[in-house]
């Protein structure tokens, strides 16, 4: 007799989310020096945390015997001021992923449905399945969210619509006009979630916070994992009208964001130079890859995020071959793109090394 037969079958049937392969695991398995490995798989900040965040982390170390501020007052206040909102509009999460889970706790059940684009973040489908809800997947021609089709898909059962903007893993974006047209069609029983984890990389971002200020049933997700370089501390947030934010606050665990993460995030908001350097490095890296792929006649998706999607024939094979040479990219079979890999933007040296190994792997035998 197996304990599996007593577990929820829909959980047992799930394929677990696979994050980018860690450097330590790769080094251990292949006998490589960790310092020689280039990881461009998880959309991390190659410049690391901001200097002011590092100072905050060091200063916090001696006080780890004290529980964190469960309400996150200082960080929520700073975020509210940054976006001209009230503290009641801000919900903190253990990464923005936790806000996704809180939304599903609050609004999904076996009679409800979640709508997302075909090539959107796989966690949306994972969460819908875990809560027994229907998952409605809408085609995204040319890897761009089709908001008109997503509006058409809304029914009385719809509770959540996720719009990843920019989208992971495609790096594409929908603009202000498309969003406005979509929002005109959204009924009151639906919560629209704008997942904006890569917001800081945009030079001309659509204004989704206006819907929060209008009191619409909208949640805007942002994170300190990408441009701010705090992925290892797991700190993100949601911005929502009080009636939505208040529901989310009831569902979260006490002390869901730790003290080090809160202090580092607060310091990161002040270190604007670090974000500017990150954005500059990213723009240069995207230009480098796009020029290289054009020169080689490779099919890729123009990106506005901190990664780029490129077609390589057999993504799993290319991933394995590059891994053997100490370069970690991300195969895309889990996103129904078996012929593609996603490459995160690294430092200039990391980008050059990645392209060098990619050329070797794709070279005719």
């Amino acid at each position: 007799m197996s304990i599996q037969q007593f577990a929820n079958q829909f959980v047992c049937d799930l394929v677990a989310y696979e994050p980018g392969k860690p450097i330590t695991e790769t080094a251990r398995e292949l006998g490589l020096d960790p310092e020689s490995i280039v990881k461009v798989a998880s959309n991390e900040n190659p410049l690391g945390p901001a200097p002011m965040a590092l100072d905050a982390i060091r200063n916090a170390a001696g006080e780890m015997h004290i529980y964190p501020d469960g309400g996150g007052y200082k960080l929520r206040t700073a975020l509210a001021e940054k976006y001209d909102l009230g503290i009641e509009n801000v919900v903190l999460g253990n990464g923005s992923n936790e806000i996704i889970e809180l939304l599903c706790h609050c609004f999904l059940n076996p009679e409800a449905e979640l709508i997302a684009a075909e090539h959107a973040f796989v966690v949306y489908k994972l969460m819908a399945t875990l809560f027994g809800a229907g998952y409605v997947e809408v085609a995204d021609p040319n890897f761009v969210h089709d908001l008109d089709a997503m509006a058409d898909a809304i029914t009385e059962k719809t509770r959540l619509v996720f719009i990843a903007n920019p989208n992971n893993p495609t790096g594409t974006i929908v603009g202000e006009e498309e969003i406005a047209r979509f929002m005109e069609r959204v009924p009151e029983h639906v919560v629209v979630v704008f997942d904006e984890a890569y917001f800081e990389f945009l030079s001309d971002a659509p204004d989704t916070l206006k819907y929060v200020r209008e009191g619409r049933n909208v949640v805007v997700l942002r994170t300190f994992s990408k441009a701010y370089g705090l992925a290892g501390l797991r700190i993100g947030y949601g911005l929502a009208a009080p009636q939505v934010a208040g529901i989310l606050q009831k569902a979260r665990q006490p002390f869901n964001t730790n003290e080090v993460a809160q202090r580092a995030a607060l310091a990161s908001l002040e270190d604007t130079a670090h974000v500017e350097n990150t954005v500059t490095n990213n723009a240069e890296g995207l230009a480098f890859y796009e020029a290289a792929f054009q020169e080689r006649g490779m099919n890729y998706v123009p990106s506005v995020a901190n990664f780029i999607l490129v077609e390589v024939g057999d993504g799993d094979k290319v991933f394995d071959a590059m891994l053997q040479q100490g370069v970690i990219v991300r195969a895309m079979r889990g996103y129904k793109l078996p012929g593609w890999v996603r490459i995160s933007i690294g430092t200039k040296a990391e980008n050059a090394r990645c392209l060098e190994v990619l050329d070797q792997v794709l070279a005719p035998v």
Side-chain angles (χ1 to χ4, degrees):
M1 183 178 293
S2 168
I3 193 63
Q4 184 169 326
Q5 73 185 80
F6 299 102
N8 291 323
Q9 192 58 47
F10 60 85
V11 176
C12 297
D13 292 342
L14 278 174
V15 176
Y17 176 79
E18 292 188 20
K21 197 170 182 67
I23 289 176
T24 52
E25 181 180 329
T26 302
R28 184 172 63 250
E29 290 179 353
L30 301 179
L32 299 175
D33 177 2
E35 295 295 323
S36 71
I37 295 173
V38 171
K39 183 187 178 189
V40 283
S42 299
N43 308 341
E44 295 151 336
N45 187 333
L47 305 185
M52 291 176 68
L54 290 174
D55 288 340
I57 291 168
R58 296 185 190 100
N59 292 335
E63 299 177 33
M64 290 304 97
H65 59 299
I66 304 295
Y67 280 108
D69 175 3
Y73 177 80
K74 289 183 179 179
L75 180 55
R76 288 172 64 213
T77 298
L79 289 167
E81 291 176 354
K82 177 178 175 66
Y83 297 116
D84 193 25
L85 296 168
I87 190 173
E88 68 276 7
N89 296 115
V90 185
V91 182
L92 300 182
N94 193 308
S96 56
N97 263 34
E98 188 187 18
I99 310 294
I100 295 172
E101 184 174 355
L102 294 179
L103 283 158
C104 295
H105 271 293
C106 295
F107 296 103
L108 293 189
N109 56 60
E111 284 73 49
E113 292 180 346
L114 182 157
I115 295 175
E118 181 179 4
H119 297 106
F121 191 28
V122 295
V123 168
Y124 307 150
K125 184 175 184 179
L126 177 66
M127 287 292 106
T129 304
L130 282 173
F131 287 90
Y135 184 74
V136 180
E137 196 171 81
V138 178
D140 49 359
N142 299 316
F143 302 117
V144 179
H145 282 53
D146 184 343
L147 295 191
D148 292 329
M150 293 178 80
D152 290 340
I154 294 174
T155 69
E156 288 300 315
K157 291 184 176 182
T158 307
R159 291 296 175 268
L160 297 172
V161 178
F162 277 85
I163 300 170
N165 208 39
N167 183 50
N168 174 25
T170 65
T172 56
I173 191 169
V174 288
E176 191 107 28
E177 183 177 337
E178 296 95 326
I179 291 172
R181 188 168 64 242
F182 170 80
M183 290 300 299
E184 288 177 358
R185 298 180 59 190
V186 177
E188 286 297 311
H189 68 275
V190 174
V191 177
V192 178
V193 185
F194 292 102
D195 190 345
E196 298 181 350
Y198 304 94
F199 171 82
E200 289 80 10
F201 296 102
L202 300 178
S203 58
D204 186 21
D207 180 11
T208 52
L209 287 181
K210 67 182 179 183
Y211 301 110
V212 173
R213 297 188 184 99
E214 291 171 1
R216 297 289 300 273
N217 293 328
V218 164
V219 179
V220 177
L221 302 181
R222 294 186 184 166
T223 184
F224 288 94
S225 293
K226 309 303 181 184
Y228 291 100
L230 299 180
L233 286 180
R234 311 307 302 126
I235 182 79
Y237 56 98
L239 305 169
Q243 74 273 11
V244 179
I247 296 173
L248 296 177
Q249 293 285 19
K250 293 179 179 180
R252 69 175 180 83
Q253 291 289 322
F255 312 116
N256 63 322
T257 59
N258 69 74
E259 183 70 15
V260 178
Q262 288 187 36
R263 293 197 197 184
L266 192 59
S268 294
L269 291 175
E270 298 180 32
D271 203 331
T272 56
H274 183 71
V275 173
E276 291 171 2
N277 291 338
T278 296
V279 171
T280 297
N281 178 78
N282 190 70
E284 292 173 351
L286 282 174
F288 168 80
Y289 279 116
E290 290 190 359
F293 296 153
Q294 289 171 11
E295 181 182 340
R296 290 158 176 76
M298 298 176 71
N299 188 26
Y300 70 94
V301 180
S303 173
V304 295
N306 69 340
F307 53 84
I308 191 164
L309 192 65
V310 60
E311 192 169 17
V312 294
D314 185 333
D316 293 335
K317 183 177 179 181
V318 167
F319 164 80
D320 288 333
M322 295 184 71
L323 186 68
Q324 295 301 312
Q325 297 193 52
V327 176
I328 311 171
V329 296
R330 188 70 176 272
M332 288 285 104
R333 182 174 298 278
Y335 285 89
K336 300 191 295 184
L337 296 168
W340 300 69
V341 296
R342 189 191 67 198
I343 301 173
S344 304
I345 305 304
T347 63
K348 185 176 293 187
E350 289 170 337
N351 297 335
R353 174 61 178 158
C354 178
L355 185 63
E356 176 188 22
V357 172
L358 182 63
D359 280 341
Q360 293 173 10
V361 166
L362 295 179
V365 178

